[in-house]
Amino acid sequence: MYSLIRRLLKTTNPPVVEKSANPLRFGVIGASQIAPHQIIRPARCHEDAVVLAVAARSKERALEYSRTWNIPKVYGGPNGYQELLDDAEIDAVYIGLPNSLHYEWTMKAIAAGKHVLCDKPIASNETETRKVFALAEEKNLVLLEAWQPRFHPALQRVKEIIDEGSLGEIVKMYSHFGLWGNVLFKKDDIRFDYKLGGGVLMDMGPYPINSMMYLASSKPTVQSAEATCMSENVDKRMEAQLLFGDSLPATIIVDFSPEGWGPFKLFPQFVKLTLRVECENGAIELWNYPLPHLFHSITVIPKNGKSRVEKAYKPKEGKGEEWWSAYRYQLEAFVDTVRGRSPQAWRTAEDSINAMHVIDTIYSKSGLSLRLTSQYQPE
């Protein structure tokens, strides 16, 4: 318990390290709640990264945010985002805006010559996703859709166990990612607004979809999907049946209102974080795959033999510490790529495009509309 608490304290409040002579200078677009996790805290303990500026629609909000997180430069007001992009001192930007604004500001950031780390999903649909990566390739800039579990040793260890072959081929996959949204989020939260790219599949769907594509080393087709909505086109629960290749079925459930547990399901279930991979000779369960750095367990269940539980906070080889968050591992890979080094792990444009294609198809199969395409037209 002492070790767990000590690790969590360092994970959530990482040490400030001495910076290199010319660190990669980040600007944060959007004074969001997720930015401290995604970039601000990870940059504190990265010797080659620094958060130099923040921009918000409200100058007061930007100033308050900068004081809270000790960010030197502040841009605010109607032109604040663009003013940050026009700052020649900024090398890269983190975009943590509502989903519907990801496409526009990623395109504008790339056009301004900035490398981009954009929160998932990187755009509102597959068409937009293809456009942002095409522009990044044209401009020879690094663009990464931020989906942090791919960079953490926990999911990589599950992949390693599968690839070792002792459990045989994968025969089935299942994931249920549930959060009690009515308690955790306000009624006017952007997750519940269709015009802002809301919906549980957009918010939580990338986690099981990307995890399964990574573990199966392939992309799926969508067989069926069923949605429960909280308002028109805004899904609060989505269940989809996928098929990898010709014979590997998978079920994903993402849910803002998980069923209760216990007798008559009377007790609330605040979170559900299950990822199960069934193989010919056993199964693997990864608990808390969305945020494995907080706490996770990898349970290996062979058909013939004793079950075991593993944890993986630090890679067997390469750079990393047990207290590093998945976001910190992600930042390491991003900086390495910008600097021309080979990252320990990476998400390609194809990964992001394929995941967005699956999301679009699930919405279509469920009878819901795709998320709205941005009105922004690049010059």
Side-chain angles (χ1 to χ4, degrees), residues 170-171 216 218-221 223 242-250:
I170 304 174
V171 297
S218 65
K219 61 181 179 181
T221 56
Q223 304 297 294
L242 312 179
L243 185 66
F244 290 83
D246 298 324
S247 58
L248 173 51

Side-chain angles (χ1 to χ4, degrees), residues 246-310:
D246 298 324
S247 58
L248 173 51
T251 299
I252 69 166
I253 300 172
V254 284
D255 197 353
F256 279 150
S257 54
E259 288 185 337
W261 62 277
F264 309 106
K265 299 181 179 179
L266 293 177
F267 299 98
Q269 188 170 196
F270 294 101
V271 295
K272 196 162 187 177
L273 306 167
T274 303
L275 174 62
R276 181 179 175 90
V277 181
E278 296 186 14
C279 301
E280 295 168 316
N281 302 318
I284 308 172
E285 290 186 356
L286 173 58
W287 184 83
N288 195 14
Y289 67 99
L291 294 171
H293 53 276
L294 296 179
F295 184 81
H296 69 267
S297 62
I298 303 167
T299 305
V300 183
I301 313 164
K303 287 183 177 178
N304 298 311
K306 188 177 180 180
S307 298
R308 69 180 191 271
V309 177
E310 297 185 16

Side-chain angles (χ1 to χ4, degrees), residues 151-172:
F151 301 90
H152 195 273
L155 190 61
Q156 294 172 15
R157 176 56 185 153
V158 174
K159 173 73 167 169
E160 184 181 60
I161 294 169
I162 292 169
D163 290 347
E164 285 171 353
S166 61
L167 296 177
E169 297 294 324
I170 304 174
V171 297
K172 186 187 295 185

